[in-house]
Amino acid sequence: MNFSLLSGAAIFIAALLSLPILVVLVNVVIGDGQVWQHLYQTVLVEYVHNSLLLMVGVGIGVLCIGVPAAWLTSMCNFPGRQFLAWALLLPMAFPAYIIAYTYTGILDFAGPVQTFIRELTGWRYGDYWFFEIRSLGGAMTMLILVLYPYVYLMSRAAFLEQSANSLEVARTLGYSNPQAFRKLALPLARPAIVTGLTLALMETLADYGTVQYFSVNTFTTGILRTFYGFGDVAAASQLAGVLLLFVTVLIVLERYSRHRIQYHNSGIKKASSRRIPLGRWQGVCALLFCLLPILLGFLIPALVLAYWAMFKAEFIADRFLQLAWNSFYLAALAALILVSLALVLSYAGRLYKHKAVHASVGLSGLGYALPGTIIAIGTLVPLAWLDHQIIDLVKHYTGQKIGLLLSGTLFALLFAYTVRFMAVSLGAVQNGLGKIKPSMDMSARTLGMNSWKVLTRIHLPLLKGSILTAILIVFVDVLKELPATLVLRPFNFNTLAVRAFELASDERLVDAAPASLMIVLVSLVPVILLSRSISSDVASSK
């Protein structure tokens, strides 16, 4: 495996994965502007307004839950802290659109909560006020419940790394515990908090299923509506370009927040080695505060889905098994492709320090910052063009008519997944390679091994854990992905996510429960592994 082959492969992979983004950007420029002008005059302001409000609401919500919960579980002693430290991650197993379907079934006019209120009081529709779940506020609430773990996880890691000496100095200066948190611990953790907040806001911008189901017009719903309704790729790309600008601003702000800011932990003792003991009532309040997001974000919707799936849903075993098979083999195939390409990119970056190679590795992970709607359109356009070129070529030389070979097939779907989730796979593999000392490579080469043998005989056995982690995370991400699958799936090909979305859109919320529950149960696996890691950290920091 020489330089030209490996580095060339890395550059080629990066170029392919950058293609959807380039296609969207080119279409932004070449569009004729008629549909765009119509969108500008009618709905663009609404898209911007709703997207901004959604970001602000979700941002405030995840900060108000994630940061205090991280502080309480890492810096304070109260009953149930060790359980809560990992249980607060459980809502990550729920895709936002599934928790939205579940709470709609619970809180809608015909749901059990409002039905109970009417039976108890004798009130009729219009006699009382009740929170409207199908609204912008409802979408905010659903997204907050499943996205706060991003802020919690990053914040808790930062708090655990803070020095106990710093807090002791704060106490000698006369700071109370709340003042020490506000004036010392919070500023020290700011880079980690901003990183978690940025991830949550990017997921908010990328969401399609929740806002579509709640009829909240945002960029993601507008892009697909323009694409299907007007059949105008350029106008859809122009909307995608505006959304891309939002994402870019978020990334720039996150990088700027860490600009020239470095915090060093000079103390040997971690802050968690001297946790703050809470009084009886303070401990009860801390316990209830941390339990509430677990209850609302995981336990209640999980129990409701299980009840619907077991006792209420119309269950056809053959159809469900087909959906599960479609979802699982598609996710498994995507995971294997992604991990294989990530190995090539990561190994090229390890062997060669050339700027072109490192730039290629960086470009390959850009897709994760983009919503699935943008990637789907950017994938479909070039593949459709290539299909038509092949069809014309075959017809010219053979006179035969052939169908589409790339667009509208699993190839297009797998390519979009590769663009969307390469950063996830790449991060896990690079992290594993980074733990292997370069001296091991040098020793192997002195024994006559070439780069290929070093990779297969030394690196791959040591990377088993990282590779399995990457496969598992990508598998679950593909299983939950909705907008890209909706746009690019082959005709008459359904997955669990698509079927749950279709049934919920037809107001068959109970029938959507088996597919939704299966997605949640599979998604629990990486969350449990992450929770075990958190638990080991808790045990080591006691």
Side-chain angles (χ1 to χ4, degrees):
M1 188 177 291
N2 55 36
F3 169 76
S4 60
L5 178 60
L6 186 59
S7 61
I11 293 171
F12 178 72
I13 291 169
L16 276 181
L17 298 184
S18 303
L19 185 61
I21 304 172
L22 293 175
V23 167
V24 170
L25 294 177
V26 168
N27 274 280
V28 169
V29 177
I30 66 173
D32 59 15
Q34 293 182 359
V35 175
W36 170 255
Q37 187 67 25
H38 171 72
L39 294 173
Y40 178 79
Q41 294 173 350
T42 55
V43 293
L44 184 61
V45 172
E46 184 182 10
Y47 293 161
V48 174
H49 176 263
N50 287 343
S51 296
L52 286 175
L53 282 181
L54 200 61
M55 290 172 61
V56 171
V58 172
I60 293 173
V62 296
L63 287 175
C64 289
I65 296 175
V67 177
W71 170 261
L72 290 170
T73 56
S74 60
M75 310 294 277
C76 302
N77 260 330
F78 60 94
R81 178 188 57 81
Q82 294 185 47
F83 164 76
L84 295 169
W86 64 264
L88 280 160
L89 296 174
L90 290 176
M92 293 181 76
F94 265 92
Y97 58 88
I98 288 180
I99 203 171
Y101 307 155
T102 309
Y103 271 109
T104 299
I106 298 172
L107 301 177
D108 212 7
F109 178 77
V113 174
Q114 291 202 55
T115 300
F116 175 75
I117 291 174
R118 291 193 300 272
E119 291 177 350
L120 185 66
T121 62
W123 291 338
R124 294 178 297 176
Y125 178 74
D127 293 342
Y128 63 96
W129 178 90
F130 195 84
F131 175 68
E132 179 55 58
I133 187 69
R134 299 177 191 249
S135 63
L136 182 62
M140 285 181 190
T141 305
M142 300 300 103
L143 289 166
I144 289 169
L145 287 175
V146 299
L147 295 180
Y148 81 82
Y150 287 100
V151 174
Y152 166 77
L153 192 60
M154 296 291 183
S155 304
R156 188 172 186 279
F159 289 142
L160 286 173
E161 288 299 318
Q162 290 179 10
S163 169
N165 293 341
S166 301
L167 296 181
E168 289 169 3
V169 169
R171 293 188 186 103
T172 62
L173 294 174
Y175 286 174
S176 64
N177 289 328
Q179 288 175 324
F181 167 71
R182 188 175 66 255
K183 296 184 178 181
L184 181 63
L186 203 57
L188 287 174
R190 193 187 77 180
I193 293 171
V194 172
T195 300
L197 176 63
T198 303
L199 290 172
L201 293 182
M202 288 169 62
E203 290 293 332
T204 300
L205 285 175
D207 178 75
Y208 173 77
T210 307
V211 292
Q212 168 67 19
Y213 183 66
F214 284 171
S215 299
V216 178
N217 291 325
T218 63
F219 280 106
T220 50
T221 59
I223 290 168
L224 287 188
R225 191 176 297 125
T226 302
F227 182 72
Y228 283 119
F230 291 101
D232 192 321
V233 174
S237 298
Q238 286 166 337
L239 280 177
V242 179
L243 180 55
L244 189 58
L245 180 62
F246 274 62
V247 175
T248 304
V249 169
L250 281 177
I251 295 173
V252 170
L253 289 176
E254 190 271 333
R255 298 287 173 86
Y256 180 76
S257 72
R258 293 182 289 152
H259 183 59
R260 295 180 180 177
I261 295 178
Q262 292 183 344
Y263 299 123
H264 300 283
N265 295 322
S266 56
I268 297 175
K269 296 178 293 182
K270 301 300 182 186
S272 56
S273 64
R274 293 192 179 181
R275 290 193 174 90
I276 303 166
L278 299 182
R280 180 179 179 183
W281 290 110
Q282 289 178 328
V284 170
C285 291
L287 176 65
L288 293 177
F289 178 85
C290 294
L291 274 177
L292 188 61
I294 301 171
L295 185 69
L296 297 178
F298 179 77
L299 190 57
I300 289 177
L303 291 176
V304 170
L305 280 180
Y307 174 73
W308 286 348
M310 288 188 292
F311 301 112
K312 297 288 186 178
E314 178 185 337
F315 184 80
I316 301 176
D318 292 345
R319 187 179 301 171
F320 181 81
L321 290 175
Q322 183 62 51
L323 290 172
W325 168 250
N326 289 347
S327 300
F328 291 163
Y329 93 78
L330 189 62
L333 192 56
L336 292 175
I337 293 171
L338 275 157
V339 170
S340 300
L341 294 179
L343 277 171
V344 173
L345 291 166
S346 300
Y347 198 48
R350 180 183 177 90
L351 288 183
Y352 308 112
K353 306 303 179 184
H354 295 273
K355 291 182 179 180
V357 175
H358 280 263
S360 298
V361 176
L363 285 172
S364 300
L366 286 179
Y368 193 65
L370 304 178
T373 48
I374 293 179
I375 293 173
I377 292 173
T379 297
L380 189 60
V381 171
L383 291 185
W385 177 86
L386 185 58
D387 265 339
H388 286 296
Q389 300 304 310
I390 295 173
I391 290 171
D392 292 342
L393 193 64
V394 171
K395 184 178 180 181
H396 176 75
Y397 284 103
T398 66
Q400 300 293 323
K401 292 184 178 180
I402 61 172
L404 299 175
L405 301 176
L406 302 174
S407 55
T409 66
L410 289 182
F411 175 86
L413 200 51
L414 290 170
F415 180 75
Y417 290 154
T418 304
V419 176
R420 178 83 169 89
F421 300 116
M422 176 54 74
V424 177
S425 179
L426 198 59
V429 174
Q430 283 181 323
N431 184 55
L433 274 176
K435 296 177 182 178
I436 301 174
K437 295 181 179 180
S439 58
M440 297 186 68
D441 300 40
M442 300 175 186
S443 300
R445 290 194 180 94
T446 60
L447 296 175
M449 291 186 183
N450 58 25
S451 299
W452 173 254
K453 289 182 179 179
V454 172
L455 175 63
T456 55
R457 296 185 183 182
I458 296 177
H459 289 169
L460 286 182
L462 295 174
L463 286 172
K464 282 182 180 178
S466 298
I467 290 174
L468 287 175
T469 299
I471 289 175
L472 185 59
I473 295 174
V474 171
F475 182 93
V476 172
D477 279 343
V478 171
L479 195 68
K480 296 191 292 186
E481 174 62 29
L482 180 62
T485 310
L486 277 172
V487 175
L488 297 171
R489 64 194 170 105
F491 178 73
N492 206 26
F493 181 90
N494 264 0
T495 63
L496 292 170
V498 171
R499 187 56 180 159
F501 176 78
E502 290 176 341
L503 290 171
S505 299
D506 292 338
E507 298 303 323
R508 297 171 60 187
L509 296 174
V510 171
D511 291 335
S516 301
L517 185 63
M518 178 63 74
I519 294 173
V520 173
L521 291 177
V522 175
S523 301
L524 265 179
V525 178
V527 174
I528 289 172
L529 293 178
L530 185 58
S531 300
R532 289 178 61 185
S533 174
I534 291 289
S535 298
S536 65
D537 289 342
V538 171
S540 64
S541 62
K542 287 175 64 177

